[in-house]
């Protein structure tokens, strides 16, 4: 199941001497209990001297109760170039909240001000989600629904099924997401302010039989940049990042993404225009739910790939993408 630690990010001022935020890390995880599950976003202080003190420093931001099957939690925590924290949340097997922004914090991209700047930048939380507690952050005033007291102001975009990984393009600031599909389509989406990505009434570009479109659709409907068919081999897209380094020249300026089940590492042009196909540039040896689960860019520009590995053995690893034909390629 998709439980445990799912994602984290360091505060933009992490490690800066004299900053009150110099030790802060924000962690998103799913707590599993016999009687239920809770999706948490907590802040911890890594500047404290030992593990016990760091654990005790937990500051809760979001505690969202969810249905007890363990799937579709999302997972990415990313500070944007604007300094706000973006959190990707799945639909958490809660159909009662599909396409509703006055329900639970599920099925979208959230954007919050963890620094509580106030003034003309952000405001305090005004509405609590269903079966949840939120605290210790503000709502940015330029969020699309920040001025709607009847809606949850945290939403930046919605109508996503399971955006497990999101990532910002360091050159343009564009936000990209891989949205894990159901039985038909996997999607790459360019995430825009106020975008409605149409789950569950549309997946890919197809209306879903038996699922009614809301009488009043909230936000601007947006279709995916790329879809590929969900099969026994390709079945779990993992969103990636736009590569702007020079270590792998053929990937420069491309959106690089993954499929957990097949192990494929793929690229497409990072223009935001719809494309019909992708290029596969590599493949991990671990596949079938032991495959890749995320990307990172190392300080030297190298692309790092996180691979889950076996359930019962410590075979998880971090790999590195290098040009084919180089001495380290294998």
């Amino acid at each position: 199941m998709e439980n445990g630690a799912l994602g984290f990010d360091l505060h933009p001022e992490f490690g800066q001497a004299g900053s009150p935020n110099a030790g802060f890390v924000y962690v998103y995880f799913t707590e599993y209990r016999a009687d239920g599950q809770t999706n948490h976003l907590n802040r911890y202080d890594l500047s404290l001297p030992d593990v016990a003190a760091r654990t005790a420093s937990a500051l809760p931001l979001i505690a969202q109760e969810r249905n007890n099957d363990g799937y579709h939690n999302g997972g990415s925590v990313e500070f944007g170039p604007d300094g706000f924290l973006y959190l990707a949340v799945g639909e958490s097997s809660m159909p009662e909240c599909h396409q509703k922004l006055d329900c639970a914090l599920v099925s979208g991209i959230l954007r919050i001000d963890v620094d509580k700047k106030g003034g003309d930048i952000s405001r305090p939380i005004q509405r609590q989600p269903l079966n949840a507690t939120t605290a210790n952050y503000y709502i940015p005033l330029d969020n699309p629904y920040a001025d709607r007291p009847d809606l949850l102001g945290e939403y930046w975009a919605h109508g996503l099924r399971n955006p497990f990984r999101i990532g910002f393009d360091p050159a343009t600031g564009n936000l990209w997401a891989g949205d894990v599909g159901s039985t038909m389509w996997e999607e790459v989406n360019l995430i825009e302010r106020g975008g409605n990505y149409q789950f569950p009434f549309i997946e890919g570009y197809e209306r879903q039989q038996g699922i009614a479109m809301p009488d009043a659709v909230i936000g601007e409907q947006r279709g995916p940049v790329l879809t590929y068919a969900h099969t026994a081999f390709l079945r779990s897209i993992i969103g990636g990042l736009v590569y702007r380094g020079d270590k792998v020249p053929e990937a420069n300026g491309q959106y690089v993404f993954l499929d957990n089940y097949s192990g494929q590492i793929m690229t497409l042009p990072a223009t935001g225009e719809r494309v019909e196909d992708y290029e596969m540039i590599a493949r991990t040896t671990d596949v079938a739910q032991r495959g890749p689960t995320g990307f990172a860019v190392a300080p030297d520009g190298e692309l790092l790939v996180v691979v889950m590995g076996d359930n019962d053995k410590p075979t998880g690893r971090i790999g590195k993408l290098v040009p084919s034909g180089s001495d380290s390629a294998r």
Side-chain angles (χ1 to χ4, degrees):
M1 295 186 289
E2 301 165 18
N3 295 154
L6 297 170
F8 75 92
D9 203 5
L10 304 172
H11 192 280
E13 297 173 9
F14 187 86
Q16 294 183 15
S19 168
N21 303 306
F24 292 158
V25 60
Y26 294 80
V27 183
Y28 178 63
F29 63 97
T30 298
E31 172 196 3
Y32 175 81
R33 307 178 307 277
D35 63 343
Q37 297 177 49
T38 307
N39 289 338
H40 294 273
L41 177 67
N42 283 1
R43 187 193 79 189
Y44 298 89
D45 188 350
L46 298 185
S47 69
L48 297 176
D50 55 43
V51 171
R54 295 166 192 162
T55 303
S57 73
L59 180 76
L61 284 80
I62 296 173
Q64 175 67 64
E65 300 295 326
R66 53 143 299 148
N67 289 346
N68 198 27
D69 71 353
Y71 296 104
H72 311 161
N73 292 309
S76 264
V77 184
E78 302 286 340
F79 277 96
D82 53 14
F84 294 126
L85 186 147
Y86 291 72
L87 175 64
V89 292
E91 57 92 38
S92 296
S93 304
M94 297 176 69
E96 66 273 21
C97 291
H98 290 169
Q99 288 290 320
K100 296 179 181 179
L101 302 188
D102 59 353
C103 193
L105 290 175
V106 296
S107 196
I109 310 298
L110 313 180
R111 179 178 182 253
I112 61 176
D113 174 15
V114 299
D115 296 327
K116 300 198 293 186
K117 295 174 182 175
D120 60 357
I121 295 175
S122 59
R123 62 157 174 82
I125 299 166
Q126 294 178 354
R127 184 184 182 92
Q128 288 291 300
L130 177 70
N131 297 326
T133 301
T134 60
N136 300 308
Y137 63 83
Y138 280 6
I139 305 295
L141 295 179
D142 58 347
N143 276 9
Y145 312 108
D147 61 350
R148 293 277 304 268
D150 58 324
L151 302 181
L152 293 163
E154 289 89 344
Y155 277 101
W156 183 250
H158 69 288
L160 295 161
R161 181 177 181 268
N162 193 18
F164 185 63
R165 292 286 180 252
I166 60 175
F168 286 94
D169 182 344
T172 66
N174 287 341
L175 179 59
W176 293 80
D179 196 18
V180 182
S182 179
T183 58
M184 293 293 293
W185 300 105
E186 307 293 306
E187 296 183 4
V188 171
N189 289 286
L190 181 63
I191 301 298
E192 298 180 85
R193 178 185 183 273
N196 182 335
Y197 292 84
Q198 305 174 310
F199 177 81
F201 60 90
I202 292 177
E203 285 198 81
Y205 294 97
E206 296 183 352
R207 281 296 305 273
Q208 298 301 292
Q209 293 186 355
I211 299 178
M213 191 170 174
D215 293 334
V217 175
I218 301 172
E220 295 293 325
Q221 293 190 59
R222 294 282 185 265
V225 171
L226 169 77
T227 65
Y228 62 84
H230 181 107
T231 69
F233 177 67
L234 285 160
R235 57 186 302 140
S236 186
I237 193 169
I238 306 294
L241 48 81
V242 178
Y243 179 63
R244 297 293 181 182
D246 56 7
K247 303 292 183 180
V248 186
E250 60 267 36
N252 186 279
Q254 301 282 302
Y255 178 66
V256 188
F257 61 103
L258 314 159
D259 187 277
N260 170 259
Y261 217 81
S262 69
Q264 288 187 183
I265 300 172
M266 301 163 278
T267 66
L268 57 82
T271 63
E273 299 296 322
R274 178 178 173 179
V275 296
E276 300 300 325
D277 205 355
Y278 56 81
E279 181 178 359
M280 188 179 82
I281 62 170
R283 185 176 168 192
T284 64
T285 54
D286 289 285
V287 297
Q289 295 184 321
R290 298 185 300 273
T293 59
F295 268 127
V297 178
D300 64 355
E302 296 274 13
L303 275 175
L304 305 178
V305 185
V306 180
V307 181
M308 185 180 295
D310 194 276
N311 251 4
D312 304 312
K313 301 174 184 176
T315 59
R317 54 186 169 158
I318 298 174
K320 179 172 66 175
L321 279 183
V322 297
S324 59
S326 66
D327 291 341
S328 55
R330 62 184 187 277

